[in-house]
């Protein structure tokens, strides 16, 4: 920036005013007036000076290029390490919960043969949904419903099993969007 100011000052300092002068019918030139002295210069001279000035200004490094660039961290900060620790704990907890869910679902799908066993497994799923306040990562409501409906389609689905199934679905819906401000007495 200082180089630019020095160059502009040198150019403008040599002439306090530029005037257009006509020296004859065939040539027109620029006359620089400096402290009462007249200097004649041609168009080529003024274009060369303009080109040199432009080139000097263009090649001078801007201020932000001369400043030191910020360095990236070589080691993580303590806050980042703490958040990573919390994420790992959350993932481990979610994997443990998912394992519990899949254990109950496998028991419901493959081992349960009686109505009481179906009701017990659905109640266990409902309890797990309440404990985890929803479904763990990796288990979606649609997938859970598909597994239960596949078992329902095979037969032996009495009313008390349907009640337990509907209770599970309502609990999942409540945990995914608990509307606690809803007026229970008013159906609208």
């Amino acid at each position: 920036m200082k180089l630019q100011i020095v160059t502009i000052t040198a150019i403008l300092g040599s002439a306090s005013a530029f005037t257009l002068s006509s020296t004859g019918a065939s040539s027109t030139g620029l006359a620089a007036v400096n402290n009462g002295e007249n200097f004649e210069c041609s168009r080529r001279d003024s274009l060369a000076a303009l080109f040199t000035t432009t080139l000097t200004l263009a090649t001078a490094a801007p201020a932000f290029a001369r400043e030191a660039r910020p360095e990236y961290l070589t080691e993580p900060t303590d806050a980042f390490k703490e958040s990573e620790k919390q994420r790992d704990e959350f993932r481990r907890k979610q994997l443990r919960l998912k394992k519990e869910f899949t254990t109950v679902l496998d028991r419901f799908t493959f081992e349960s043969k009686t109505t009481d066993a179906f009701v017990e497994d659905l109640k266990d799923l409902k309890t797990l949904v309440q404990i985890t306040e929803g479904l763990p990562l990796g288990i979606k409501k649609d997938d859970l419903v598909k597994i239960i409906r596949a078992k329902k389609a095979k037969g032996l689905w009495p009313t008390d099993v349907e009640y337990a199934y509907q209770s599970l679905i309502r609990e999942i819906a409540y945990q995914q969007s608990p509307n606690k401000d809803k007026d229970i007495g008013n159906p609208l």
Side-chain angles (χ1 to χ4, degrees), residues 11-173:
I11 291 172
L12 295 179
S14 64
S16 60
F18 287 99
T19 59
L20 188 61
S21 67
S22 176
T23 56
S26 63
S27 76
T28 302
L30 290 175
V33 180
N34 185 12
N35 297 331
E37 299 176 17
N38 270 342
F39 298 104
E40 287 285 330
C41 64
S42 67
R43 288 184 190 170
R44 288 185 182 159
D45 293 339
S46 62
L47 284 176
L50 181 65
F51 177 74
T52 305
T53 304
T54 305
L55 184 63
T56 304
L57 292 176
T59 57
F64 66 86
R66 289 183 300 241
E67 294 175 5
R69 291 185 177 191
E71 293 184 22
Y72 291 104
L73 295 175
T74 55
E75 293 190 23
T77 62
D78 292 335
F80 179 77
K81 289 177 183 177
E82 180 65 28
S83 67
E84 281 293 314
K85 182 180 174 184
Q86 290 173 353
R87 272 184 286 242
D88 287 341
E89 290 173 6
F90 177 76
R91 287 183 192 130
R92 280 191 213 109
K93 181 181 176 185
Q94 290 296 310
L95 287 173
R96 185 177 43 80
L97 292 172
K98 184 178 178 181
K99 185 177 179 181
E100 291 177 21
F101 267 88
T102 54
T103 303
V104 175
L105 280 173
D106 289 342
R107 187 176 66 217
F108 174 78
T109 306
F110 301 114
E111 296 174 13
S112 299
K113 305 288 184 205
T114 64
T115 303
D116 293 335
F118 290 156
V119 171
E120 188 64 33
D121 290 340
L122 290 171
K123 285 183 179 179
D124 288 346
L125 284 172
K126 180 181 175 185
T127 305
L128 284 172
V129 168
Q130 290 172 341
I131 291 171
T132 60
E133 298 177 350
L135 296 172
L137 293 178
I139 295 180
K140 297 179 183 174
K141 179 183 174 187
D142 293 339
D143 297 337
L144 187 67
V145 168
K146 286 177 187 178
I147 292 170
I148 295 172
R149 285 187 181 168
K151 187 70 169 184
K152 180 180 179 179
K154 292 180 182 177
L156 186 62
W157 197 262
T159 306
D160 52 346
V161 177
E162 182 65 25
Y163 286 155
Y165 168 67
Q166 292 299 325
S167 177
L168 172 65
I169 297 302
R170 278 194 308 274
E171 186 63 35
I172 292 171

